[in-house]
Amino acid sequence: LIEVITATFQDAITLQFHLTPFHLFHTCPLTGNTVCVYSELYNTDAWLDEHEKIQKKDEDGCQLERVIAALMFWSDSTCLAQFGTAKAWPLYLCFGNLSKYIRLRPSLNVIHQIAYIPSVCIQTFSCLKGLQKLTMRDSFPTTSMSSS
């Protein structure tokens, strides 16, 4: 994962990264009401708060800029054969520092395939659920108390 982050920050696409968060506002021309617009990760209050926190850190007098690398993970089932039931669940990574209009353009190749999650059949879940019940029962022994 570190290799992907390092390689991405050394790539030319980093010039499109939003490294400093900001609020985005819209004023309605009819009513004059102003509302905050949340259209990207770097427009959110959470990002602004975390950005402020990391700017206040003073570790060994380091003067380098501190930024947030927003890692977005997702997975989706993929059929491995045209006929049959062979499936894989690839795990993908994308950076939330990019605008969604750039991030979702296939020609830019900004989506990184990180891993494959193995498919698990329903019988495995049933078996694991049974093991969990056994483990829970063994972990918390019950004592019967009889009243005299």
Side-chain angles (χ1 to χ4, degrees):
L1 196 56
I2 296 297
E3 291 85 13
V4 173
I5 296 169
T6 303
T8 301
F9 271 87
Q10 292 172 349
D11 193 5
I13 196 68
T14 310
L15 297 173
Q16 301 292 320
F17 272 25
H18 290 270
L19 301 175
T20 305
F22 57 89
H23 276 120
L24 184 63
F25 296 98
H26 171 72
T27 303
C28 178
L30 300 174
T31 63
N33 292 340
T34 301
V35 295
C36 189
V37 178
Y38 299 103
S39 64
E40 300 281 357
L41 284 176
Y42 45 82
N43 296 132
T44 62
D45 292 333
W47 191 312
L48 285 155
D49 293 343
E50 290 305 315
H51 181 76
E52 189 175 314
K53 285 180 190 176
I54 65 171
Q55 298 310 314
K56 290 180 181 177
K57 287 187 177 183
D58 184 25
E59 297 173 2
D60 302 327
C62 179
Q63 298 300 315
L64 294 175
E65 182 179 11
R66 294 176 175 92
V67 297
I68 296 172
L71 306 180
M72 301 170 61
F73 293 94
W74 74 95
S75 182
D76 194 8
S77 175
T78 301
C79 291
L80 298 177
Q82 189 171 7
F83 302 102
T85 59
K87 291 183 180 180
W89 290 81
L91 182 64
Y92 298 105
L93 164 70
C94 195
F95 287 83
N97 301 69
L98 283 171
S99 168
K100 60 186 166 220
Y101 300 109
I102 295 172
R103 189 172 60 232
L104 298 177
R105 289 173 56 191
S107 61
L108 294 179
N109 297 319
V110 296
I111 297 172
H112 306 277
Q113 197 170 19
I114 300 297
Y116 283 100
I117 302 169
S119 295
V120 180
C121 65
I122 294 176
Q123 289 83 6
T124 305
F125 283 116
S126 300
C127 179
L128 290 174
K129 192 173 182 181
L131 287 174
Q132 182 183 14
K133 286 180 183 177
L134 284 173
T135 305
M136 294 295 285
R137 187 175 51 214
D138 294 341
S139 297
F140 301 104
T142 56
T143 57
S144 59
M145 299 184 79
S146 59
S147 58
S148 323

